[in-house]
Structures are given as structure tokens and as C-alpha cells.
């Protein structure tokens, strides 16, 4: 097979497979959103004896999640798990991808206070390695492949468990041109998968993950409170990190009894579902109404919301209701910012919220640039310098402290 023909085939099948990954990702988000809405906003709300109905539903969820973890192991697998595996052995076991997505779907639709991003990204990593193994099969079996009927070629490329060649450092080509072409194609396929996902989200009019927090008209006078706000966000994040470690110790029991542990988590979902239903799930849906509604609540009420959300997140994560913590932490950090703005009425609200939220989220998630980029999506463009200044100050301050410790 000529080199040009091979590249065309790789591009064609790479686009096909990356579009399929985009479709699977969309299907997961679509099902989670619609099933959760149907169950919590319609069926459970319309049930007679709502409290009893919600209790039974939550207990059922705890039993299902616990039983699946008992049978299959520690699912859903997160992006962190998949990336760690990839770093260690240069590949990932992608066979459990749909098991992982199924358990994650159950965790989310039964109301756990976690986000979909960790399990979804974990599955995307698995499926991307599967795609790479398919491309490797095509590369190393090009002569056999070209003799197949076109329908057989597509069936080979789409077969979930056959016609795969895993990465082998000894047999992998190492030429600079090959590696640069491979890197460019991987980026191209990733972008295609993202575009496919976005198009499907737009076509089906799915709500955006991002809610704008309002307009800002901040001035130089607001910089007087910049450092105090940064310190408040930093301390808030530090307190949460200490609490997170404590929670991990407190819940270090029933290690071999996932059903009991999941049922314990389902009790927290029941309590939140009855008394604080807006704090179910990741918080991303409720976040859209915060800029309009926060003025209705006092500093103490908003602070209580932050505490409940973060405690709920940790109970879920420590009882087997595994999911992402980025959305819940960003939600809590933004609410914390609005709480602080209540006691500083003379300064720009959005300036306060952006600074506190960035400092708190960066401290918790320990990824200054990534968090800054994500936080910036929620705020107007004029807040970008403030957000990145906050993240970079914390980054360099931490590096400076670590250097001093290393020298001392």
C-alpha cells in the first residue's frame, strides 16, 4: 500500500472512530441529564408520600451501586486512574469502559453530589487507547486490510474486542517524522471527537455546562481587597483539604462491604434530596440561578451551603459514589465568593467572587493554570487578568515555599 493511501485510510478510520467516541460521550451526558430530570423533577416530585418515595429510591440506588462495586470492583474508573495506568504500562485496559460508564450513570442519576467529568474522561482515555490500537492494527496489517471488502473493513475497525494491536515499545516506529505525524493525527482526532460531541449537544439543545456569573465593572479601588480575598480563598481551600483527609480516615471502615458503605452514602443523598435538592448532583445546573438569587440569602446561609455541598461531596466519594470533584468544588468556591461579597458591599461583586473562587479552587485542586482556564469560562472577559493573576501568585508562592523547605 502506498504511503499516501495508508495515511488517507488512517485519517478516514481515525475520524470515524473519534466521532464514535464523541457520540458515546454525548450519549452518556444525554442519558444522565434526561433520566435525572425525569426521576427527580417529575416522578419523585409527583409521588404521593414524597419523603418515603425518595427514601426508597435512594436506598435502591445504594443497593445497586454497592452490588455492582461488589461484583465488578472499584468502578467507575476515573481519568486519574486511567492516566496513572497509562503512565505505568504505556497502555490502558479499555475493556471495562462501558462497565465504568454504566456505574457512573447510576451514581449520577441516583443523585450523588459528584460531577460526570471524572468518569467520562476516564472512559474517553480508555476508548482513545482502543482507537490507537485500531490504528496500529491498520498500520501493521495494511496488506491484509486492503484485500477486505469495504464493509468488512468497517466491521473490523468497529469490532470492540478484535483486530487490535497494543503498543509495543520494541516494534513501534521511532523516526522523528513518524512521531510528529502521529502526534498531529492524535490532536486532529481529539479535536474531531470534541467537535462531534459539541455538534450533537447543540443539535439536541442540551444545556451548557457553563453558566455566566454576571457582568463586572471593577475598578482599581477593588485591588485594595485583592490580597485579603486571595488569602480568604487560600485558607478556605486549606481548611477543605484538611477536612478531606479527616473524612478519608473517618470513613476507613467496611472496606470489604461495598453495599453497606454505598447505603450509608445513599442516606446522605436522601437528606440532601429532601432538604437541599439544589445541592444534588454536581451543582452545575443550580449554578445558573446563583447570580440572581444570592442577594436573597445572608452570608451565613451561603456559607452553610458551601459547607453542606463539600461535606456531601466527601461523603459520596468515601462511600463508593465515585465521580468528579471539579464541578462541585467550583460550585462551592463560587458560592463562597458570593458569601464574601455580602460582607464587602462597597466593592465589585464579580471581582470578589472571581478572586475568592479561583484562590479556593486552585488550592484544593492544585492545578493553577487548568483551574484558571476553567474558572474563566464562568466570568466576563475583563475578569481574566484577575483570575490568572490569582492563580499565578498562588503557584509561585507554593513553589517558593517548597524551595525553601528543600534548602532547609
Amino acid at each position: 500500500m502506498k504511503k499516501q493511501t495508508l495515511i488517507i485510510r488512517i485519517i478516514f478510520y481515525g475520524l470515524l472512530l473519534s466521532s464514535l467516541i464523541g457520540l458515546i460521550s454525548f450519549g452518556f451526558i444525554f442519558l444522565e441529564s434526561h433520566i435525572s430530570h425525569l426521576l427527580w423533577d417529575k416522578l419523585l416530585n409527583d409521588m404521593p408520600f414524597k419523603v418515603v418515595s425518595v427514601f426508597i429510591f435512594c436506598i435502591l440506588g445504594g443497593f445497586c451501586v454497592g452490588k455492582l462495586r461488589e461484583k465488578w470492583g472499584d468502578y467507575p474508573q476515573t481519568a486519574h486512574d486511567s492516566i496513572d495506568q497509562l503512565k505505568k504500562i504505556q497502555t490502558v485496559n479499555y475493556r471495562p469502559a462501558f462497565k465504568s460508564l454504566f456505574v457512573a450513570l447510576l451514581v449520577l442519576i441516583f443523585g450523588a453530589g459528584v460531577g460526570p467529568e471524572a468518569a467520562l474522561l476516564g472512559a474517553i482515555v480508555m476508548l482513545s487507547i482502543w482507537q490507537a490500537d485500531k490504528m496500529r492494527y491498520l498500520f501493521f496489517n495494511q496488506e491484509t486490510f486492503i484485500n477486505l471488502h469495504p464493509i468488512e473493513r468497517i466491521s473490523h475497525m468497529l469490532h470492540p474486542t478484535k483486530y487490535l494491536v497494543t503498543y509495543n515499545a520494541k516494534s513501534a516506529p521511532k523516526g522523528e517524522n513518524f512521531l510528529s505525524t502521529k502526534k498531529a493525527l492524535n490532536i486532529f482526532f481529539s479535536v474531531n471527537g470534541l467537535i462531534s460531541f459539541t455538534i450533537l449537544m447543540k443539535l439536541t439543545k442540551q444545556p451548557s455546562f457553563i453558566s455566566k456569573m454576571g457582568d463586572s465593572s471593577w475598578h482599581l479601588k477593588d485591588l485594595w481587597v485583592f490580597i485579603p480575598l486571595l488569602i480568604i480563598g487560600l485558607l478556605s481551600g486549606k481548611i477543605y483539604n484538611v477536612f478531606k483527609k479527616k473524612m478519608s480516615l473517618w470513613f476507613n471502615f467496611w472496606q470489604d462491604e461495598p453495599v453497606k458503605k454505598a447505603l450509608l452514602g445513599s442516606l446522605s443523598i436522601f437528606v440532601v434530596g429532601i432538604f437541599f435538592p439544589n445541592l444534588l448532583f454536581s451543582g452545575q445546573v443550580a449554578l445558573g440561578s446563583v447570580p440572581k438569587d444570592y442577594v436573597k440569602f445572608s452570608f451565613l446561609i451561603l456559607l452553610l451551603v458551601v459547607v453542606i455541598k463539600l461535606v456531601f461531596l466527601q461523603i459520596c466519594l468515601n462511600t463508593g459514589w465515585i465521580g468528579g470533584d471539579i464541578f462541585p468544588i467550583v460550585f462551592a468556591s463560587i458560592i463562597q465568593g458570593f458569601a464574601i461579597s455580602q460582607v464587602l458591599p462597597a466593592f465589585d461583586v464579580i471581582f470578589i467572587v472571581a478572586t475568592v473562587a479561583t484562590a479556593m479552587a486552585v488550592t484544593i485542586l492544585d492545578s493553577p493554570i487548568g483551574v484558571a482556564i476553567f474558572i474563566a469560562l464562568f466570568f466576563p472577559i475583563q475578569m481574566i487578568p484577575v483570575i490568572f493573576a490569582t492563580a499565578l501568585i498562588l503557584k509561585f508562592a507554593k513553589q517558593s515555599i517548597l524551595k525553601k523547605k528543600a534548602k532547609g
Side-chain angles (χ1 to χ4, degrees):
M1 188 186 296
K2 293 181 180 179
K3 183 178 178 181
Q4 186 178 6
T5 305
L6 175 62
I7 291 174
I8 291 171
R9 289 190 188 282
I10 287 175
I11 290 174
F12 172 76
Y13 289 111
L15 288 173
L16 175 66
L17 296 179
S18 58
S19 296
L20 177 62
I21 294 171
L23 174 62
I24 292 168
S25 303
F26 161 76
F28 175 79
I29 295 295
F30 182 87
L31 288 173
E32 184 269 323
S33 174
H34 283 72
I35 296 174
S36 298
H37 175 70
L38 175 65
L39 291 173
W40 286 94
D41 296 338
K42 293 186 177 180
L43 291 180
L44 289 174
N45 264 340
D46 296 338
M47 284 277 191
F49 309 107
K50 180 182 174 181
V51 173
V52 176
S53 300
V54 172
F55 178 77
I56 293 171
F57 178 73
C58 292
I59 294 299
L60 175 63
F63 182 78
C64 291
V65 170
K67 271 295 180 184
L68 287 175
R69 287 176 64 83
E70 184 178 73
K71 182 178 179 181
W72 290 343
D74 292 334
Y75 288 105
Q77 186 167 315
T78 65
H80 179 76
D81 299 328
S82 298
I83 292 169
D84 275 356
Q85 188 181 11
L86 183 61
K87 286 179 179 177
K88 288 176 183 176
I89 60 174
Q90 300 299 306
T91 188
V92 169
N93 178 16
Y94 39 75
R95 293 182 186 275
F98 288 99
K99 282 184 180 179
S100 187
L101 284 175
F102 180 67
V103 178
L105 184 62
L106 287 183
V107 165
L108 292 165
I109 65 177
F110 278 107
V114 297
E117 71 280 358
L120 180 57
L121 288 174
I124 289 172
V125 170
M126 293 187 215
L127 293 170
S128 296
I129 299 301
W130 173 77
Q131 177 188 338
D133 287 357
K134 285 289 186 182
M135 295 294 97
R136 214 171 278 114
Y137 165 81
L138 174 57
F139 181 83
F140 285 109
N141 295 275
Q142 44 194 283
E143 296 303 327
T144 303
F145 194 80
I146 198 172
N147 293 322
L148 296 173
H149 186 274
I151 299 297
E152 287 183 301
R153 292 176 194 166
I154 292 176
S155 67
H156 274 50
M157 295 310 293
L158 294 180
H159 197 287
T161 57
K162 293 182 179 178
Y163 315 112
L164 300 154
V165 175
T166 56
Y167 176 79
N168 186 318
K170 293 180 180 178
S171 61
K174 295 177 177 61
E176 285 188 19
N177 288 338
F178 175 85
L179 293 175
S180 60
T181 302
K182 178 183 174 182
K183 185 176 180 180
L185 285 174
N186 286 339
I187 294 172
F188 179 58
F189 296 147
S190 298
V191 171
N192 177 67
L194 181 60
I195 291 172
S196 302
F197 173 81
T198 304
I199 289 173
L200 289 167
M201 292 288 284
K202 293 289 185 183
L203 287 175
T204 54
K205 298 179 179 179
Q206 298 304 299
S208 172
F209 290 109
I210 307 300
S211 303
K212 293 296 181 181
M213 292 299 104
D215 297 321
S216 172
S217 55
W218 75 277
H219 301 286
L220 290 177
K221 74 177 182 72
D222 294 306
L223 293 175
W224 285 105
V225 292
F226 176 70
I227 296 301
L229 293 174
L230 189 151
I231 293 171
I232 289 170
L234 172 66
L235 291 176
S236 300
K238 291 285 187 184
I239 291 169
Y240 172 77
N241 284 335
V242 171
F243 170 73
K244 177 181 175 181
K245 291 178 181 178
K246 292 289 185 183
M247 286 287 280
S248 181
L249 293 173
W250 294 339
F251 280 86
N252 189 26
F253 55 85
W254 290 345
Q255 295 295 329
D256 299 322
E257 299 184 81
V259 176
K260 285 184 180 180
K261 211 157 190 180
L263 287 171
L264 184 61
S266 67
L267 291 177
S268 72
I269 296 173
F270 165 70
V271 172
V272 172
I274 293 299
F275 296 104
F276 312 99
N278 285 338
L279 300 185
L280 292 170
F281 316 113
S282 66
Q284 69 193 60
V285 176
L287 198 55
S289 62
V290 170
K292 294 178 182 178
D293 293 343
Y294 85 96
V295 291
K296 300 176 184 176
F297 304 103
S298 67
F299 165 78
L300 290 176
I301 294 295
L302 291 173
L303 191 60
L304 181 63
V305 168
V306 174
V307 171
I308 292 171
K309 183 60 186 174
L310 293 178
V311 170
F312 181 41
L313 169 64
Q314 280 303 310
I315 291 174
C316 289
L317 293 177
N318 283 285
T319 55
W321 294 79
I322 304 300
D325 62 354
I326 295 174
F327 272 114
I329 286 169
V330 168
F331 171 86
S333 299
I334 288 175
I335 300 295
Q336 178 81 334
F338 278 110
I340 300 301
S341 73
Q342 293 281 35
V343 296
L344 294 170
F347 298 93
D348 184 77
V349 171
I350 300 303
F351 177 89
I352 293 170
V353 175
T355 306
V356 172
T358 304
M360 183 173 172
V362 164
T363 304
I364 294 172
L365 297 169
D366 196 23
S367 178
I369 303 303
V371 169
I373 292 170
F374 186 65
I375 290 277
L377 298 175
F378 293 85
F379 292 92
I381 193 168
Q382 58 265 43
M383 293 312 305
I384 290 178
V386 176
I387 290 169
F388 277 88
T390 303
L392 290 173
I393 288 171
L394 290 173
K395 178 182 178 181
F396 292 132
K398 182 178 179 181
Q399 289 176 348
S400 176
I401 292 169
L402 291 174
K403 284 181 181 178
K404 286 181 180 179
K405 285 183 177 179
K407 289 179 181 178

